[in-house]
Amino acid sequence: MDIFETDKKYVAGTYARFPVEIVRGKGSLCYDGAGKEYVDMGAGIAVNIFGFCDEEWIAAVEKQLHAFQHTSNLYYQAPCARLAEELCKRTGMKKVFFSNSGAEANECAIKAARLYAAENKGEEYYNVITLKGSFHGRTLTTLAATGQEVFHKYFQPLTPGFLYAQPNNAESVKKLIDGHKVAAVMLEPVLGEGGVIPLEQSFVKEVFEYASENGVLIIVDEVQTGNGRTGALYGYMNFGVLPDIVTTAKGLGGGLPIGATMLGEKVKNVFSAGMHGSTFGGNPVAAAGALSVINRLNDKFLSEVREKSAYIKTRLDNMKGVKGVTGTGLILGVETDMPAGDAVLKCIEGGALFLTAKNKIRLLPALNISYELIDRALSVLEKVLEG
Ligand SMILES: *Cc1c(COP(=O)(O)O)cnc(C)c1O
């Protein structure tokens, strides 16, 4: 049986895969079984932020693999401690809990917020406000946090205690804070899966202010927008605000699974021993890779991300068949005359891998993608949209 058939027969059918088998990759190029070359504009959904098989990342991971691959959290180990230190120094957060995915990072954030509220306001202050169209993960609690009914169907009852506000409508958030006992508001700086919808400065500012006045914590979900993706180290930094809790995953590991829940001043000591945990969380190999990733996301690199973003936006704005472009940095959504799914399938034939988000084509390329490969991928898209 070929891989398509074996996969269809034995792997649970949770994914509508594109008809491509990737056998190897280098940078922003990858190859299928027949040797066909593709420009990768999705980076494994914002994970491979330095592309495939980046030498510096491999060296960091490999070095750790030869020292020890796992210890359990019963012992101290340097990669985990050093990564936490670096994340705190770069963000203003105070402590970090490590897990293995975005959903787990968000689970921990919700637990931290409820715990803080229980200790400071009362256990009945358990509600968390999220946005309609948001995406926060697939576990039953993060599914409840996800403000999209399509994902909720069939899986009731979900974890109770979630309320949904309209994105970029501060009044709708304030109304929920006024009307309920609320622990936290949880926001993505750019709604990624929800269709690449950026939050507006005035909305973010008003929500942060109102939450702070009312003793409500702010959790920022940077699973997709974090680690340089928006042209800032974390997306919230574009707004000049400081959240109480920041979650991230995807790009942090550069290709290995890791999740991080960063706890700010108010919540840095909510957890005591035994209140939360993860067997694999803070895995030294993943952490060593993540540390090398974070150390490379300096000001110069981030300004290059912003320049690439401006370049791509200009090219897309002038492209026939493009109705509009949204997003910040290298998380971009493109609304086209052609249905996004059809366009992405045709681009695969042309040798470029794009993603979709709702009705848009979504671009999440490696942050170090070259201008040459950007041009190549955009030319494929242009040809497809011209029909
Ligand atoms: C992908 C994503 C998640 C879930 O991450 P997993 O690693 O798949 O659990 C959560 N929040 C946002 C914003 C995401 O983009």
Side-chain angles (χ1 to χ4, degrees):
M1 265 192 287
D2 75 6
I3 290 304
F4 289 6
E5 285 172 44
T6 309
D7 186 291
K8 281 190 180 119
K9 183 159 179 204
Y10 293 108
V11 178
T14 55
Y15 305 107
R17 298 198 206 278
F18 291 116
V20 179
E21 181 203 354
I22 293 171
V23 295
R24 70 191 167 87
K26 188 74 192 166
S28 286
L29 289 172
C30 60
Y31 304 86
D32 69 13
K36 180 169 170 176
E37 187 174 80
Y38 300 89
V39 184
D40 177 20
M41 295 301 281
I45 317 188
V47 167
N48 300 333
I49 57 175
F50 288 101
F52 288 103
C53 297
D54 174 79
E55 296 296 339
E56 218 175 311
W57 178 80
I58 289 178
V61 166
E62 202 170 32
K63 185 162 174 246
Q64 184 54 41
L65 267 175
H66 287 287
F68 56 91
Q69 80 276 32
H70 176 78
T71 55
S72 89
N73 280 309
L74 299 173
Y75 308 99
Y76 291 91
Q77 44 105 345
C80 168
R82 296 257 179 269
L83 177 60
E85 179 186 30
E86 195 59 30
L87 287 171
C88 289
K89 282 187 172 163
R90 299 280 303 270
T91 60
M93 296 291 112
K94 302 297 178 192
K95 288 194 176 184
V96 186
F97 176 83
F98 290 112
S99 54
N100 315 286
S101 67
E104 282 176 276
N106 287 337
E107 287 269 343
C108 173
I110 293 160
K111 280 177 82 169
R114 284 190 171 173
L115 186 53
Y116 178 84
E119 285 176 349
N120 290 278
K121 300 197 287 185
E123 280 182 14
E124 67 280 17
Y125 283 81
Y126 56 73
N127 288 294
V128 175
I129 299 170
T130 66
L131 298 180
K132 290 185 178 149
S134 62
F135 185 86
H136 298 294
R138 302 285 197 163
T139 62
L140 287 171
T141 298
T142 57
L143 211 49
T146 294
Q148 301 188 54
E149 270 167 31
V150 289
F151 293 118
H152 294 178
K153 212 177 157 195
Y154 307 120
F155 301 112
Q156 303 289 340
L158 300 175
T159 305
F162 288 87
L163 306 162
Y164 311 103
Q166 291 293 344
N168 291 326
N169 180 338
E171 285 314 311
S172 87
V173 178
K174 289 182 185 177
K175 230 161 99 187
L176 290 176
I177 290 178
D178 291 343
H180 300 82
K181 294 185 164 45
V182 174
V185 178
M186 187 160 162
L187 308 165
E188 293 165 84
V190 179
L191 280 72
E193 306 298 318
V196 193
I197 299 162
L199 295 185
E200 289 159 14
Q201 172 76 51
S202 57
F203 169 77
V204 172
K205 197 164 161 274
E206 257 185 84
V207 168
F208 268 70
E209 276 172 14
Y210 202 72
S212 165
E213 285 162 22
N214 287 277
V216 168
L217 299 176
I218 300 265
I219 303 167
V220 176
D221 177 347
E222 300 262 5
V223 172
Q224 192 162 154
T225 51
N227 315 299
R229 178 59 52 191
T230 67
L233 185 61
Y234 289 95
Y236 73 80
M237 294 172 176
N238 292 312
F239 299 104
V241 292
L242 188 65
D244 299 296
I245 303 174
V246 179
T247 64
T248 194
K250 292 198 168 100
L252 177 62
L256 283 174
I258 187 168
T261 308
M262 302 180 231
L263 305 169
E265 184 61 39
K266 283 187 195 152
V267 290
K268 66 181 179 189
N269 292 322
V270 280
F271 290 123
S272 51
M275 284 182 137
H276 197 48
S278 163
T279 299
F280 281 116
N283 172 272
V285 179
L291 189 56
S292 82
V293 163
I294 287 296
N295 282 335
R296 290 163 75 183
L297 300 176
N298 55 33
D299 289 344
K300 180 169 171 284
F301 185 86
L302 294 172
S303 76
E304 287 165 10
V305 169
R306 298 193 292 273
E307 282 160 24
K308 280 175 202 174
S309 171
Y311 177 79
I312 295 173
K313 276 185 174 171
T314 305
R315 269 208 64 176
L316 287 169
D317 281 337
N318 293 308
M319 205 177 273
K320 225 180 110 196
V322 169
K323 285 202 270 192
V325 184
T326 58
T328 316
L330 292 177
I331 171 168
L332 295 170
V334 190
E335 211 184 325
T336 51
D337 292 332
M338 186 183 287
D342 296 352
V344 167
L345 277 173
K346 287 192 175 145
C347 285
I348 291 176
E349 284 173 36
L353 305 177
F354 288 92
L355 304 169
T356 61
K358 293 283 173 286
N359 63 335
K360 289 177 188 159
I361 299 171
R362 181 170 40 153
L363 282 65
L364 293 168
L367 303 183
N368 64 345
I369 189 172
S370 66
Y371 281 92
E372 187 197 332
L373 290 182
I374 289 172
D375 279 336
R376 205 159 116 190
L378 293 182
S379 297
V380 170
L381 178 63
E382 189 163 36
K383 237 169 135 185
V384 163
L385 296 182
E386 274 168 4

